Amino acid sequence: MNRPVLSILAAALLVFLLWPHAFAGLFQPLTRNGAPPIYTQTSLLALTLSHLALVAAAVGAASVTAVGLGILVTRPAGRAFLPLARTLANIGQTFPPVAVLALAVPLMGFGRWPTLTALFLYGLLPIFENTLTALGSLPPPVAEAARGTGMTPRQRLIRVELPLALPLILTGIRLSAVISLGTATIGSTVAARTLGEVVIAGLLSSNTAFVVQGGMVVGVLAVLLNAVFQSLERRAARAAGQERLAPIGLS
């Protein structure tokens, strides 16, 4: 999607979140029996910011954990832990987020923490696998050249391996972030403040306008987030001297 279209989407979303009542006429045909066309129980802007904060926290924690595990198991001293690390990264994909929420609520109570746990576990695998692929497929001549200059293993990791691996790692983070953005809506079932609150309110009251509003905001955010990460991937690829980037994940 080209930049002008993305700019229009971002501007339209911002206007809607700041002045949702200006769009009442657009959503009125989706209501029945005099139901309100715009969700007003909580500010849509506040819900959006809370939703993004949850996703950012979960993806940030998942990124640090998954990249750290990826680095560990690609070092000679940590290769024996690869099966265990892969098992840990697969936990989130083995248990659906709804199941994680059901298990977490008795331990953590209602609110943001069960949702953060579910999103964290669900986001580990794509980041871990992309980190593993990126660090494991570095060109041997590059590694040899780094060793030949007298760099220590830590210097090679920080100055050579991670910069070259960064585009593919960012692809994994992008995939995790976009998935988490959509998945976070279920957090409202356990009293987390997300845009799922709008969708659930619409389903409970048979108000299609609310359902469309919640889904529309999440959908536009996903498109914009995906575009931002793609831009970061291209910049990282250029900085690493990679003319082409063949990411694993969403294109």
Side-chain angles (χ1 to χ4, degrees):
M1 192 173 293
N2 57 41
R3 185 169 298 180
V5 174
L6 292 171
S7 299
I8 292 172
L9 277 177
L13 177 62
L14 182 60
V15 171
F16 175 71
L17 293 176
L18 291 174
W19 301 286
H21 289 286
F23 296 80
L26 183 63
F27 290 99
Q28 188 67 54
L30 300 176
T31 64
R32 294 187 301 176
N33 302 322
I38 299 296
Y39 185 79
T40 57
Q41 294 182 18
T42 308
S43 165
L44 287 174
L45 178 59
L47 284 177
T48 301
L49 293 176
S50 177
H51 190 109
L52 289 174
L54 276 173
V55 171
V59 174
S63 299
V64 171
T65 303
V67 173
L69 284 174
I71 292 172
L72 173 66
V73 300
T74 54
R75 306 304 98 183
R79 283 182 185 140
F81 296 99
L82 176 58
L84 175 61
R86 186 160 269 152
T87 299
L88 291 174
N90 274 284
I91 287 177
Q93 303 292 328
T94 303
F95 295 96
V98 174
V100 176
L101 287 178
L103 294 172
V105 166
L107 298 174
M108 302 178 178
F110 289 90
R112 69 176 63 183
W113 290 109
T115 305
L116 280 171
T117 302
L119 295 180
F120 168 77
L121 292 175
Y122 207 58
L124 284 174
L125 185 61
I127 305 173
F128 175 74
E129 289 296 339
N130 274 33
T131 301
L132 206 61
T133 300
L135 291 175
S137 59
L138 295 175
V142 174
E144 289 296 330
R147 277 192 290 268
T149 61
M151 288 185 181
T152 64
R154 182 175 181 178
Q155 288 173 330
R156 292 199 299 270
L157 173 66
I158 295 174
R159 298 181 185 179
V160 178
E161 295 182 51
L162 285 178
L164 290 174
L166 184 58
L168 198 51
I169 293 174
L170 284 173
T171 300
I173 297 174
R174 169 167 61 92
L175 181 57
S176 176
V178 172
I179 292 174
S180 295
L181 192 66
T183 307
T185 55
I186 66 171
S188 291
T189 61
V190 293
R193 293 191 68 201
T194 75
L195 288 162
E197 180 180 318
V198 184
V199 176
I200 292 172
L203 293 174
L204 292 177
S205 61
S206 299
N207 190 336
T208 306
F210 290 175
V211 177
V212 172
Q213 284 164 44
M216 178 193 70
V217 174
V218 172
V220 173
L221 285 174
V223 170
L224 296 174
L225 185 64
N226 187 62
V228 168
F229 269 100
Q230 283 184 327
S231 177
L232 292 175
E233 291 165 36
R234 287 191 291 268
R235 292 183 183 182
R238 286 195 295 268
Q242 301 170 3
E243 294 184 0
R244 290 188 178 183
L245 177 63
I248 297 175
L250 299 176
S251 59

PDB file of all heavy atoms in Angstrom, residues 220-246:
ATOM      1  N   VAL A 220      -7.747  -0.915  10.710  1.00  0.00           N
ATOM      2  CA  VAL A 220      -6.918   0.184  10.202  1.00  0.00           C
ATOM      3  C   VAL A 220      -5.599   0.257  10.977  1.00  0.00           C
ATOM      4  O   VAL A 220      -4.529   0.467  10.394  1.00  0.00           O
ATOM      5  CB  VAL A 220      -7.674   1.527  10.297  1.00  0.00           C
ATOM      6  CG1 VAL A 220      -6.758   2.686   9.924  1.00  0.00           C
ATOM      7  CG2 VAL A 220      -8.883   1.511   9.370  1.00  0.00           C
ATOM      8  N   LEU A 221      -5.653   0.048  12.285  1.00  0.00           N
ATOM      9  CA  LEU A 221      -4.429   0.042  13.079  1.00  0.00           C
ATOM     10  C   LEU A 221      -3.478  -1.063  12.613  1.00  0.00           C
ATOM     11  O   LEU A 221      -2.262  -0.860  12.544  1.00  0.00           O
ATOM     12  CB  LEU A 221      -4.755  -0.161  14.561  1.00  0.00           C
ATOM     13  CG  LEU A 221      -5.353   1.031  15.311  1.00  0.00           C
ATOM     14  CD1 LEU A 221      -5.761   0.618  16.719  1.00  0.00           C
ATOM     15  CD2 LEU A 221      -4.372   2.193  15.364  1.00  0.00           C
ATOM     16  N   ALA A 222      -4.033  -2.220  12.287  1.00  0.00           N
ATOM     17  CA  ALA A 222      -3.202  -3.335  11.818  1.00  0.00           C
ATOM     18  C   ALA A 222      -2.512  -3.001  10.502  1.00  0.00           C
ATOM     19  O   ALA A 222      -1.324  -3.293  10.316  1.00  0.00           O
ATOM     20  CB  ALA A 222      -4.055  -4.592  11.661  1.00  0.00           C
ATOM     21  N   VAL A 223      -3.248  -2.365   9.593  1.00  0.00           N
ATOM     22  CA  VAL A 223      -2.664  -1.970   8.306  1.00  0.00           C
ATOM     23  C   VAL A 223      -1.540  -0.959   8.519  1.00  0.00           C
ATOM     24  O   VAL A 223      -0.453  -1.075   7.936  1.00  0.00           O
ATOM     25  CB  VAL A 223      -3.750  -1.386   7.382  1.00  0.00           C
ATOM     26  CG1 VAL A 223      -3.129  -0.758   6.141  1.00  0.00           C
ATOM     27  CG2 VAL A 223      -4.738  -2.471   6.966  1.00  0.00           C
ATOM     28  N   LEU A 224      -1.781   0.028   9.369  1.00  0.00           N
ATOM     29  CA  LEU A 224      -0.775   1.065   9.629  1.00  0.00           C
ATOM     30  C   LEU A 224       0.443   0.485  10.345  1.00  0.00           C
ATOM     31  O   LEU A 224       1.594   0.815  10.004  1.00  0.00           O
ATOM     32  CB  LEU A 224      -1.378   2.193  10.457  1.00  0.00           C
ATOM     33  CG  LEU A 224      -2.507   2.992   9.785  1.00  0.00           C
ATOM     34  CD1 LEU A 224      -3.111   3.988  10.765  1.00  0.00           C
ATOM     35  CD2 LEU A 224      -1.997   3.712   8.547  1.00  0.00           C
ATOM     36  N   LEU A 225       0.206  -0.384  11.314  1.00  0.00           N
ATOM     37  CA  LEU A 225       1.315  -0.993  12.047  1.00  0.00           C
ATOM     38  C   LEU A 225       2.172  -1.858  11.130  1.00  0.00           C
ATOM     39  O   LEU A 225       3.403  -1.824  11.190  1.00  0.00           O
ATOM     40  CB  LEU A 225       0.765  -1.833  13.200  1.00  0.00           C
ATOM     41  CG  LEU A 225       1.787  -2.444  14.156  1.00  0.00           C
ATOM     42  CD1 LEU A 225       2.559  -1.352  14.893  1.00  0.00           C
ATOM     43  CD2 LEU A 225       1.085  -3.360  15.166  1.00  0.00           C
ATOM     44  N   ASN A 226       1.511  -2.610  10.278  1.00  0.00           N
ATOM     45  CA  ASN A 226       2.227  -3.448   9.318  1.00  0.00           C
ATOM     46  C   ASN A 226       3.103  -2.585   8.399  1.00  0.00           C
ATOM     47  O   ASN A 226       4.267  -2.919   8.130  1.00  0.00           O
ATOM     48  CB  ASN A 226       1.227  -4.252   8.489  1.00  0.00           C
ATOM     49  CG  ASN A 226       1.899  -5.271   7.597  1.00  0.00           C
ATOM     50  OD1 ASN A 226       2.572  -6.185   8.070  1.00  0.00           O
ATOM     51  ND2 ASN A 226       1.717  -5.122   6.293  1.00  0.00           N
ATOM     52  N   ALA A 227       2.571  -1.460   7.947  1.00  0.00           N
ATOM     53  CA  ALA A 227       3.326  -0.568   7.060  1.00  0.00           C
ATOM     54  C   ALA A 227       4.520   0.057   7.769  1.00  0.00           C
ATOM     55  O   ALA A 227       5.601   0.199   7.180  1.00  0.00           O
ATOM     56  CB  ALA A 227       2.399   0.523   6.520  1.00  0.00           C
ATOM     57  N   VAL A 228       4.349   0.437   9.030  1.00  0.00           N
ATOM     58  CA  VAL A 228       5.460   1.030   9.789  1.00  0.00           C
ATOM     59  C   VAL A 228       6.603   0.030   9.926  1.00  0.00           C
ATOM     60  O   VAL A 228       7.779   0.367   9.709  1.00  0.00           O
ATOM     61  CB  VAL A 228       4.968   1.488  11.183  1.00  0.00           C
ATOM     62  CG1 VAL A 228       6.161   1.819  12.086  1.00  0.00           C
ATOM     63  CG2 VAL A 228       4.063   2.698  11.057  1.00  0.00           C
ATOM     64  N   PHE A 229       6.272  -1.204  10.268  1.00  0.00           N
ATOM     65  CA  PHE A 229       7.321  -2.210  10.430  1.00  0.00           C
ATOM     66  C   PHE A 229       7.979  -2.551   9.094  1.00  0.00           C
ATOM     67  O   PHE A 229       9.195  -2.791   9.044  1.00  0.00           O
ATOM     68  CB  PHE A 229       6.753  -3.476  11.074  1.00  0.00           C
ATOM     69  CG  PHE A 229       6.840  -3.462  12.571  1.00  0.00           C
ATOM     70  CD1 PHE A 229       5.727  -3.144  13.338  1.00  0.00           C
ATOM     71  CD2 PHE A 229       8.026  -3.734  13.223  1.00  0.00           C
ATOM     72  CE1 PHE A 229       5.803  -3.113  14.719  1.00  0.00           C
ATOM     73  CE2 PHE A 229       8.110  -3.713  14.602  1.00  0.00           C
ATOM     74  CZ  PHE A 229       6.993  -3.400  15.360  1.00  0.00           C
ATOM     75  N   GLN A 230       7.213  -2.565   8.014  1.00  0.00           N
ATOM     76  CA  GLN A 230       7.819  -2.818   6.705  1.00  0.00           C
ATOM     77  C   GLN A 230       8.823  -1.734   6.362  1.00  0.00           C
ATOM     78  O   GLN A 230       9.885  -2.016   5.791  1.00  0.00           O
ATOM     79  CB  GLN A 230       6.729  -2.897   5.635  1.00  0.00           C
ATOM     80  CG  GLN A 230       5.964  -4.212   5.638  1.00  0.00           C
ATOM     81  CD  GLN A 230       4.958  -4.298   4.521  1.00  0.00           C
ATOM     82  OE1 GLN A 230       4.372  -3.288   4.122  1.00  0.00           O
ATOM     83  NE2 GLN A 230       4.745  -5.483   3.997  1.00  0.00           N
ATOM     84  N   SER A 231       8.492  -0.492   6.703  1.00  0.00           N
ATOM     85  CA  SER A 231       9.428   0.608   6.462  1.00  0.00           C
ATOM     86  C   SER A 231      10.703   0.424   7.289  1.00  0.00           C
ATOM     87  O   SER A 231      11.816   0.625   6.791  1.00  0.00           O
ATOM     88  CB  SER A 231       8.756   1.932   6.811  1.00  0.00           C
ATOM     89  OG  SER A 231       9.652   3.015   6.660  1.00  0.00           O
ATOM     90  N   LEU A 232      10.546   0.015   8.551  1.00  0.00           N
ATOM     91  CA  LEU A 232      11.708  -0.234   9.401  1.00  0.00           C
ATOM     92  C   LEU A 232      12.562  -1.376   8.849  1.00  0.00           C
ATOM     93  O   LEU A 232      13.800  -1.318   8.889  1.00  0.00           O
ATOM     94  CB  LEU A 232      11.259  -0.562  10.825  1.00  0.00           C
ATOM     95  CG  LEU A 232      10.612   0.578  11.623  1.00  0.00           C
ATOM     96  CD1 LEU A 232      10.106   0.064  12.962  1.00  0.00           C
ATOM     97  CD2 LEU A 232      11.592   1.723  11.826  1.00  0.00           C
ATOM     98  N   GLU A 233      11.923  -2.407   8.323  1.00  0.00           N
ATOM     99  CA  GLU A 233      12.653  -3.541   7.754  1.00  0.00           C
ATOM    100  C   GLU A 233      13.480  -3.104   6.548  1.00  0.00           C
ATOM    101  O   GLU A 233      14.638  -3.511   6.395  1.00  0.00           O
ATOM    102  CB  GLU A 233      11.670  -4.644   7.339  1.00  0.00           C
ATOM    103  CG  GLU A 233      10.993  -5.347   8.498  1.00  0.00           C
ATOM    104  CD  GLU A 233       9.793  -6.148   8.042  1.00  0.00           C
ATOM    105  OE1 GLU A 233       9.842  -6.724   6.933  1.00  0.00           O
ATOM    106  OE2 GLU A 233       8.783  -6.187   8.774  1.00  0.00           O
ATOM    107  N   ARG A 234      12.879  -2.273   5.698  1.00  0.00           N
ATOM    108  CA  ARG A 234      13.610  -1.806   4.515  1.00  0.00           C
ATOM    109  C   ARG A 234      14.814  -0.959   4.920  1.00  0.00           C
ATOM    110  O   ARG A 234      15.894  -1.070   4.330  1.00  0.00           O
ATOM    111  CB  ARG A 234      12.671  -1.020   3.596  1.00  0.00           C
ATOM    112  CG  ARG A 234      11.660  -1.892   2.852  1.00  0.00           C
ATOM    113  CD  ARG A 234      10.951  -1.110   1.764  1.00  0.00           C
ATOM    114  NE  ARG A 234      10.067  -0.097   2.325  1.00  0.00           N
ATOM    115  CZ  ARG A 234       8.783  -0.299   2.587  1.00  0.00           C
ATOM    116  NH1 ARG A 234       8.241  -1.487   2.365  1.00  0.00           N
ATOM    117  NH2 ARG A 234       8.030   0.675   3.067  1.00  0.00           N
ATOM    118  N   ARG A 235      14.629  -0.104   5.912  1.00  0.00           N
ATOM    119  CA  ARG A 235      15.746   0.733   6.374  1.00  0.00           C
ATOM    120  C   ARG A 235      16.849  -0.130   6.980  1.00  0.00           C
ATOM    121  O   ARG A 235      18.042   0.119   6.754  1.00  0.00           O
ATOM    122  CB  ARG A 235      15.251   1.743   7.405  1.00  0.00           C
ATOM    123  CG  ARG A 235      14.333   2.807   6.823  1.00  0.00           C
ATOM    124  CD  ARG A 235      13.931   3.819   7.885  1.00  0.00           C
ATOM    125  NE  ARG A 235      12.999   4.806   7.349  1.00  0.00           N
ATOM    126  CZ  ARG A 235      12.512   5.827   8.042  1.00  0.00           C
ATOM    127  NH1 ARG A 235      12.890   5.990   9.312  1.00  0.00           N
ATOM    128  NH2 ARG A 235      11.676   6.686   7.492  1.00  0.00           N
ATOM    129  N   ALA A 236      16.458  -1.127   7.769  1.00  0.00           N
ATOM    130  CA  ALA A 236      17.450  -2.007   8.372  1.00  0.00           C
ATOM    131  C   ALA A 236      18.182  -2.802   7.309  1.00  0.00           C
ATOM    132  O   ALA A 236      19.395  -3.042   7.413  1.00  0.00           O
ATOM    133  CB  ALA A 236      16.773  -2.956   9.370  1.00  0.00           C
ATOM    134  N   ALA A 237      17.464  -3.208   6.263  1.00  0.00           N
ATOM    135  CA  ALA A 237      18.098  -3.959   5.181  1.00  0.00           C
ATOM    136  C   ALA A 237      19.098  -3.092   4.429  1.00  0.00           C
ATOM    137  O   ALA A 237      20.194  -3.545   4.077  1.00  0.00           O
ATOM    138  CB  ALA A 237      17.028  -4.497   4.219  1.00  0.00           C
ATOM    139  N   ARG A 238      18.732  -1.828   4.175  1.00  0.00           N
ATOM    140  CA  ARG A 238      19.660  -0.925   3.491  1.00  0.00           C
ATOM    141  C   ARG A 238      20.889  -0.664   4.359  1.00  0.00           C
ATOM    142  O   ARG A 238      22.018  -0.625   3.868  1.00  0.00           O
ATOM    143  CB  ARG A 238      18.960   0.388   3.143  1.00  0.00           C
ATOM    144  CG  ARG A 238      17.987   0.276   1.984  1.00  0.00           C
ATOM    145  CD  ARG A 238      17.615   1.652   1.452  1.00  0.00           C
ATOM    146  NE  ARG A 238      16.890   2.428   2.453  1.00  0.00           N
ATOM    147  CZ  ARG A 238      15.569   2.458   2.573  1.00  0.00           C
ATOM    148  NH1 ARG A 238      14.831   1.733   1.740  1.00  0.00           N
ATOM    149  NH2 ARG A 238      14.985   3.194   3.488  1.00  0.00           N
ATOM    150  N   ALA A 239      20.670  -0.481   5.657  1.00  0.00           N
ATOM    151  CA  ALA A 239      21.794  -0.229   6.561  1.00  0.00           C
ATOM    152  C   ALA A 239      22.735  -1.427   6.632  1.00  0.00           C
ATOM    153  O   ALA A 239      23.944  -1.269   6.823  1.00  0.00           O
ATOM    154  CB  ALA A 239      21.277   0.101   7.961  1.00  0.00           C
ATOM    155  N   ALA A 240      22.173  -2.623   6.462  1.00  0.00           N
ATOM    156  CA  ALA A 240      22.990  -3.838   6.503  1.00  0.00           C
ATOM    157  C   ALA A 240      23.579  -4.185   5.144  1.00  0.00           C
ATOM    158  O   ALA A 240      24.271  -5.186   5.005  1.00  0.00           O
ATOM    159  CB  ALA A 240      22.154  -5.005   7.021  1.00  0.00           C
ATOM    160  N   GLY A 241      23.279  -3.359   4.131  1.00  0.00           N
ATOM    161  CA  GLY A 241      23.814  -3.610   2.798  1.00  0.00           C
ATOM    162  C   GLY A 241      23.116  -4.716   2.058  1.00  0.00           C
ATOM    163  O   GLY A 241      23.663  -5.311   1.130  1.00  0.00           O
ATOM    164  N   GLN A 242      21.879  -5.011   2.444  1.00  0.00           N
ATOM    165  CA  GLN A 242      21.106  -6.057   1.785  1.00  0.00           C
ATOM    166  C   GLN A 242      20.178  -5.398   0.770  1.00  0.00           C
ATOM    167  O   GLN A 242      19.271  -4.659   1.128  1.00  0.00           O
ATOM    168  CB  GLN A 242      20.299  -6.853   2.812  1.00  0.00           C
ATOM    169  CG  GLN A 242      21.167  -7.518   3.864  1.00  0.00           C
ATOM    170  CD  GLN A 242      20.336  -8.099   5.002  1.00  0.00           C
ATOM    171  OE1 GLN A 242      19.117  -8.054   4.976  1.00  0.00           O
ATOM    172  NE2 GLN A 242      21.000  -8.635   6.004  1.00  0.00           N
ATOM    173  N   GLU A 243      20.393  -5.708  -0.487  1.00  0.00           N
ATOM    174  CA  GLU A 243      19.574  -5.087  -1.525  1.00  0.00           C
ATOM    175  C   GLU A 243      18.166  -5.615  -1.528  1.00  0.00           C
ATOM    176  O   GLU A 243      17.214  -4.910  -1.828  1.00  0.00           O
ATOM    177  CB  GLU A 243      20.219  -5.324  -2.906  1.00  0.00           C
ATOM    178  CG  GLU A 243      21.554  -4.619  -3.078  1.00  0.00           C
ATOM    179  CD  GLU A 243      22.103  -4.803  -4.455  1.00  0.00           C
ATOM    180  OE1 GLU A 243      21.438  -5.473  -5.270  1.00  0.00           O
ATOM    181  OE2 GLU A 243      23.194  -4.299  -4.732  1.00  0.00           O
ATOM    182  N   ARG A 244      18.007  -6.900  -1.194  1.00  0.00           N
ATOM    183  CA  ARG A 244      16.686  -7.491  -1.182  1.00  0.00           C
ATOM    184  C   ARG A 244      16.445  -8.101   0.174  1.00  0.00           C
ATOM    185  O   ARG A 244      17.327  -8.680   0.787  1.00  0.00           O
ATOM    186  CB  ARG A 244      16.547  -8.570  -2.270  1.00  0.00           C
ATOM    187  CG  ARG A 244      16.529  -8.010  -3.682  1.00  0.00           C
ATOM    188  CD  ARG A 244      16.206  -9.093  -4.660  1.00  0.00           C
ATOM    189  NE  ARG A 244      16.144  -8.585  -6.025  1.00  0.00           N
ATOM    190  CZ  ARG A 244      15.825  -9.325  -7.071  1.00  0.00           C
ATOM    191  NH1 ARG A 244      15.574 -10.604  -6.930  1.00  0.00           N
ATOM    192  NH2 ARG A 244      15.781  -8.786  -8.290  1.00  0.00           N
ATOM    193  N   LEU A 245      15.206  -7.980   0.627  1.00  0.00           N
ATOM    194  CA  LEU A 245      14.804  -8.552   1.891  1.00  0.00           C
ATOM    195  C   LEU A 245      13.725  -9.572   1.617  1.00  0.00           C
ATOM    196  O   LEU A 245      12.696  -9.271   1.048  1.00  0.00           O
ATOM    197  CB  LEU A 245      14.266  -7.456   2.818  1.00  0.00           C
ATOM    198  CG  LEU A 245      13.735  -7.883   4.184  1.00  0.00           C
ATOM    199  CD1 LEU A 245      14.850  -8.504   5.008  1.00  0.00           C
ATOM    200  CD2 LEU A 245      13.116  -6.716   4.924  1.00  0.00           C
ATOM    201  N   ALA A 246      13.952 -10.809   2.018  1.00  0.00           N
ATOM    202  CA  ALA A 246      12.974 -11.866   1.822  1.00  0.00           C
ATOM    203  C   ALA A 246      12.454 -12.304   3.196  1.00  0.00           C
ATOM    204  O   ALA A 246      12.941 -13.262   3.791  1.00  0.00           O
ATOM    205  CB  ALA A 246      13.593 -13.060   1.101  1.00  0.00           C
TER     206      ALA A 246
END
